[in-house]
Amino acid sequence: MRRLLAFDIALFALVVVLFALSDSVVSVPLAVVQLLPLLVRRRYPGAALAVIAAATAAHSLLGMARAVGYLPAALALYGAATHRSPWVRWGVCGGAVVLVTVTGAIRHGPVEGGLLAAGALIVTWLFGAERGVLLRERALVAQLRLDRHLADRAAATASSRERLARRLHDGLAHTMTVMLVQGEALRATARLTTADEERLDVVLGAGRAALAEVRLALAEEAQRDAAATLDGRLAALREAGLEADGITGLDTLPAAVREVAFRLVGEAATNALRHDGPGARLDAAVTRAGETVRLGLTSTPGSGRPASEPGGGGFGLASLAEDVTAVGGTLTYGPAERGWRVTAEFREPPTHRAAP
């Protein structure tokens, strides 16, 4: 992003210098209106092109030199032609080409003015549209690669978890369950002394604790699998163009909700790249207020693009909302300033401290 900003500033400075040295400026205010929108052409490509095209047309009618004077319009046209919106890509770009071409023909004649402007702008327009197609195809290929990677990773994780669960269930957990059942039966049917009952209670308590540790080990394994899956998912998304360096604090979430939180971050990251393309950014923040712990995920489009709404949140978030509810939390999502925000709130269990 910093290199892109530096490039835009250098390009803007170069165009300003060319305007100053070419002696093409007839109206300084119109020249300023032609140049300034270049600074926001990535964030507002359609609006920037419309303003620059109108200023270029007016400046051309006043006698502006053609070559350098059309450069801001060409740069804005190239950027707008890559936009994902057909209205911007064809409507605004087409209108700008027609406007600049007609005014050029009026001022400088149909050949030197109209055809020259039309040829240069149409070629620029087509190059921009082709680059937009390549960017969208690149995002699609990255998404397909990501889906395949996630499917392979999920299959491997499920297989590993199934093997571990089967070994624990068929081995230690099954044996401990049998011991507990037999111990309870012994207490119900045998005549035991008080000392024997106390010994049996110790044995049964140890057995229940061991069985609980087995279940806890399975839960922790599920969390480790979810964390590893998230790491792989974020790595693939970063390779495809997502900026996801601001994801911190997940390890501080309550253990009971951590697995759901990992999957929620993965879904939000995938949606950010899918809907806003390469350069999109995802940030995560964990905050606490009383007994409530909040996980906030915010995605913003890259290169100044306007955010696109993910169709009401999509099936993935709707499904995860049920999982969040199942662990006692709530999930909300919707548009935010220049982006999309997902917020999950959970009840944090009280911390028990040992008395001094």
Side-chain angles (χ1 to χ4, degrees):
M1 293 296 292
R2 292 180 178 177
R3 285 183 297 179
L4 191 61
L5 178 61
F7 174 79
D8 282 346
I9 293 174
L11 182 62
F12 177 77
L14 176 61
V15 175
V16 171
V17 170
L18 289 175
F19 258 60
L21 297 179
S22 64
D23 205 19
S24 62
V25 175
V26 176
S27 169
V28 173
L30 285 176
V32 171
V33 175
Q34 280 182 267
L35 295 170
L36 282 182
L38 290 176
L39 295 174
V40 294
R41 64 188 177 90
R42 296 185 186 276
R43 178 171 296 183
Y44 308 108
L49 175 59
V51 172
I52 292 175
T56 302
H59 210 171
S60 178
L61 290 175
L62 294 178
M64 175 191 66
R66 294 184 298 279
V68 175
Y70 290 164
L71 186 56
L75 291 173
L77 179 66
Y78 181 79
T82 66
H83 199 274
R84 66 174 58 213
S85 170
W87 184 83
V88 174
R89 195 165 62 246
W90 303 113
V92 177
C93 291
V97 170
V98 170
L99 177 63
V100 175
T101 299
V102 169
T103 54
I106 293 174
R107 178 65 184 181
H108 303 286
V111 177
E112 292 188 1
L115 289 180
L116 179 62
L121 293 178
I122 288 175
V123 169
T124 303
W125 183 10
L126 294 178
F127 272 122
E130 181 66 19
R131 179 174 180 270
V133 171
L134 292 177
L135 289 176
R136 287 185 288 275
E137 288 179 350
R138 175 187 169 190
L140 178 60
V141 170
Q143 182 64 46
L144 293 175
R145 289 177 57 192
L146 174 63
D147 290 343
R148 182 175 179 178
H149 169 80
L150 294 178
D152 293 342
R153 192 69 180 266
T157 299
S159 178
S160 174
R161 186 183 299 176
E162 183 180 356
R163 286 195 302 270
L164 176 63
R166 184 167 56 248
R167 290 173 60 186
L168 289 174
H169 180 271
D170 294 344
L172 182 59
H174 178 73
T175 302
M176 295 304 302
T177 301
V178 171
M179 291 172 58
L180 291 173
V181 171
Q182 293 298 323
E184 293 291 352
L186 179 63
R187 176 161 45 190
T189 58
R191 293 181 179 179
L192 303 175
T193 65
T194 302
D196 291 337
E197 287 186 355
E198 290 178 353
R199 294 189 186 97
L200 184 58
D201 287 340
V202 172
V203 172
L204 292 175
R208 294 190 186 97
L211 190 59
E213 289 179 2
V214 171
R215 291 170 177 165
L216 179 60
L218 287 173
E220 290 177 348
E221 182 65 23
Q223 287 186 12
R224 283 193 292 269
D225 289 343
T229 299
L230 177 61
D231 289 341
R233 191 170 190 171
L234 290 178
L237 289 169
R238 290 188 184 102
E239 183 180 350
L242 177 70
E243 294 187 13
D245 299 326
I247 299 179
T248 58
L250 299 183
D251 292 338
T252 66
L253 289 169
V257 305
R258 208 169 292 158
E259 180 185 358
V260 175
F262 288 150
R263 291 192 285 118
L264 184 61
V265 173
E267 179 67 21
T270 301
N271 287 343
L273 182 64
R274 177 184 296 128
H275 295 289
D276 292 320
R281 179 176 180 83
L282 180 71
D283 293 290
V286 177
T287 57
R288 285 173 169 79
E291 297 181 351
T292 300
V293 57
R294 180 181 295 107
L295 170 61
L297 300 165
T298 305
S299 62
T300 52
S303 300
R305 294 184 184 179
S308 58
E309 295 188 9
F315 176 77
L317 287 177
S319 176
L320 279 169
E322 299 177 1
D323 295 337
V324 172
T325 302
V327 295
T330 58
L331 181 67
T332 57
Y333 45 86
E337 183 180 358
R338 284 205 65 245
W340 189 262
R341 183 166 180 81
V342 179
T343 303
E345 293 186 352
F346 306 97
R347 297 281 292 180
E348 188 167 26
T351 302
H352 299 285
R353 297 181 179 177

